[in-house]
Amino acid sequence: MTDMPTRQDFETIGAGFDPDPSRSQSLRKEAYVDPAWYRTDLDQIIARTWQWVCHVEKLREPGAYVTVEIAGRPVAVLRDREGTLRAFYNVCKHRAHELLRGEGQTTRIMCPYHAWVYGLDGRLVRAPHTETLVDFDPKQICLDGVQVEEFCGFVFVNLDPSAPPMRAQTGHLEAEVMHWAPDVAELTFGHRLTYDIRSNWKNVVDNFLECYHCPTAHKDFCTLVDMDTYKVTTHGIYSSHMAEAGKGTNSAYDVSNASVRTHAVWWLWPTTCLMRYPGRSSMIVLNIIPAGPDRTLETYDFYLETPEPDEAERESIRYLDEVLQREDIDIVESVQRGMSTPAFTQGRIVNDPDGSGKSEHAVHHFHGLVLDAYARAAG
């Protein structure tokens, strides 16, 4: 392929995909291994979709801010003095220096390069030694805004200024999440796990979206939940993954005193996964961050009833970190290696029309969304 996909490339990448998952092949391997498709992913998917930033607790107070990078582009999200949530490109309008770093509290945005100062609404309020400039009006300068939205107790941004609001795209997702996790906005940060994975981000999503592999690869998980109750339902740009907690003892972690007995998981196109495991009230956010054609970063943020995990939660975090994630990382890295050989082009989607967890129909749904994005990019 050339540096960027050609029209022929866009036509070829969808070969074998069928709208009927029982007839369909998977996404072709080129989408996972070719650097040109990775750049297309960043520009046409990541930079045009709603991306998770943080729990709303980080931005409750005026002056609170966090910084993130979306598709390689720096963004700052903050709460202004009037309580309005705002997001901007984290780039000074003078010489493009980064404005804010990390997260914290501030009463203004001052560039550390030449001390240009912006209000929390993004407007330039002071530019030192510019009094003699011709045709220079600070009031006409403002940081470039980015779409931002609070949703289900979390903050999301979208770099595409023409993208519809998140709620307009997500159908019944908010109602579903709030039904199963009505206290999500009141939860507090408890722990973070981070991973650097040698695999394309789409392989990571594929693996998350099916439990066809669970009886083979995740034997402990199959005792944590009742696999006979595991159902996966696809919707416009998300899918729901539901199961009841296992009825007997399990080899993952103790849930005998669990107040939450439902394993409720949602995947939101393209890279956000919300998970409510059996135990105390909690929410785990998996953020999948593309970092290269064959590299993905992951963060797992645990939001709990208290800042400190209880004993069962410590066990669940240990299980997820040392067992479940290790199993999944080994899987996706092996798949990435296999896709980089001449022995694989694409594989058959395994579909259960009844929507069980042991089915790949949610993977097929994801591949359809990827190909839709590629088709839009092709014009």
Side-chain angles (χ1 to χ4, degrees):
M1 190 190 291
T2 59
D3 286 344
M4 291 301 293
T6 64
R7 182 170 292 278
Q8 182 60 48
D9 293 326
F10 279 111
E11 291 175 1
T12 302
I13 198 67
F17 181 85
D18 192 284
D20 180 354
S22 291
R23 298 177 180 274
S24 187
Q25 298 277 350
S26 66
L27 195 59
R28 293 173 63 87
K29 75 169 187 179
E30 291 86 355
Y32 298 83
V33 301
D34 195 310
W37 286 116
Y38 172 72
R39 290 190 292 272
T40 302
D41 288 348
L42 290 187
D43 291 341
Q44 303 301 326
I45 297 178
I46 305 303
R48 295 177 182 272
T49 51
W50 288 96
Q51 297 287 312
W52 182 83
V53 175
C54 64
H55 190 276
V56 71
E57 74 168 349
K58 275 192 179 179
L59 295 169
R60 289 198 203 279
E61 301 302 320
Y65 72 88
V66 298
T67 60
V68 292
E69 190 175 276
I70 307 294
R73 301 160 200 182
V75 175
V77 188
L78 56 82
R79 185 80 63 178
D80 72 14
R81 294 175 185 273
E82 287 70 43
T84 300
L85 194 62
R86 296 182 181 273
F88 308 99
Y89 278 97
N90 192 19
V91 175
C92 184
K93 301 299 286 185
H94 174 222
R95 295 272 296 282
H97 196 280
E98 178 184 63
L99 292 166
L100 296 169
R101 290 185 179 176
E103 58 188 62
Q105 287 279 143
T106 189
T107 57
R108 60 181 183 172
I109 303 169
M110 187 174 80
C111 180
Y113 193 10
H114 297 102
W116 281 34
V117 177
Y118 304 83
L120 298 184
D121 61 358
R123 296 187 179 280
L124 182 65
V125 295
R126 187 170 72 87
H129 311 298
T130 58
E131 296 81 5
T132 61
L133 298 186
V134 177
D135 296 329
F136 178 79
D137 182 0
K139 294 189 173 99
Q140 300 300 313
I141 297 176
C142 187
L143 299 178
D144 286 12
V146 169
Q147 287 206 71
V148 62
E149 196 168 327
E150 291 182 40
F151 184 82
C152 293
F154 298 102
V155 176
F156 291 79
V157 297
N158 194 323
L159 301 186
D160 182 358
S162 63
M166 193 167 180
R167 281 180 177 82
Q169 296 186 50
T170 49
H172 298 294
L173 176 59
E174 184 173 31
E176 275 194 45
V177 173
M178 299 313 293
H179 172 76
W180 292 105
D183 60 346
V184 61
E186 281 69 56
L187 298 174
T188 189
F189 177 77
H191 193 75
R192 168 172 277 197
L193 299 172
T194 60
Y195 305 95
D196 192 333
I197 303 171
R198 295 186 298 275
S199 177
N200 184 271
W201 71 278
K202 295 187 293 299
N203 268 328
V204 176
V205 174
D206 286 350
N207 183 67
F208 181 87
L209 289 177
E210 49 95 350
C211 221
Y212 181 41
H213 70 283
C214 291
T216 307
H218 301 315
K219 296 186 185 302
D220 297 311
F221 179 81
C222 291
T223 66
L224 176 64
V225 304
D226 181 354
M227 290 301 294
D228 290 337
T229 66
Y230 204 121
K231 298 285 284 186
V232 178
T233 309
T234 61
H235 312 268
I237 62 166
Y238 75 97
S239 55
S240 305
H241 306 244
M242 301 288 179
E244 293 302 313
K247 296 181 176 63
T249 57
N250 73 78
S251 53
Y253 62 91
D254 182 20
V255 294
S256 57
N257 296 317
S259 57
V260 173
R261 301 292 304 174
T262 301
H263 172 76
V265 173
W266 299 270
W267 167 78
L268 173 63
W269 161 259
T271 53
T272 303
C273 308
L274 307 177
M275 299 177 281
R276 192 166 170 89
Y277 276 26
R280 276 202 306 177
S281 181
S282 66
M283 186 68 82
I284 308 168
V285 181
L286 164 58
N287 189 27
I288 298 168
I289 307 165
D294 57 359
R295 185 182 179 211
T296 301
L297 305 178
E298 283 186 341
T299 59
Y300 275 80
D301 284 346
F302 294 76
Y303 297 96
L304 311 171
E305 292 182 16
T306 57
E308 289 296 322
D310 66 15
E311 183 176 350
E313 287 163 345
R314 286 194 294 274
E315 263 308 289
S316 70
I317 292 169
R318 182 206 61 79
Y319 162 70
L320 198 153
D321 184 31
E322 298 178 9
V323 180
L324 191 62
Q325 270 298 93
R326 189 66 266 158
E327 292 167 344
D328 276 332
I329 290 171
D330 286 347
I331 287 168
V332 298
E333 291 187 342
S334 176
V335 168
Q336 188 70 28
R337 290 193 298 272
M339 285 184 168
S340 301
T341 72
F344 182 83
T345 301
Q346 62 190 147
R348 189 65 183 260
I349 293 292
V350 175
N351 179 53
D352 174 4
D354 291 331
S356 77
K358 299 174 187 176
S359 173
E360 296 176 322
H361 58 286
V363 177
H364 174 266
H365 173 241
F366 168 54
H367 291 178
L369 291 170
V370 170
L371 291 173
D372 286 348
Y374 288 171
R376 288 192 295 273

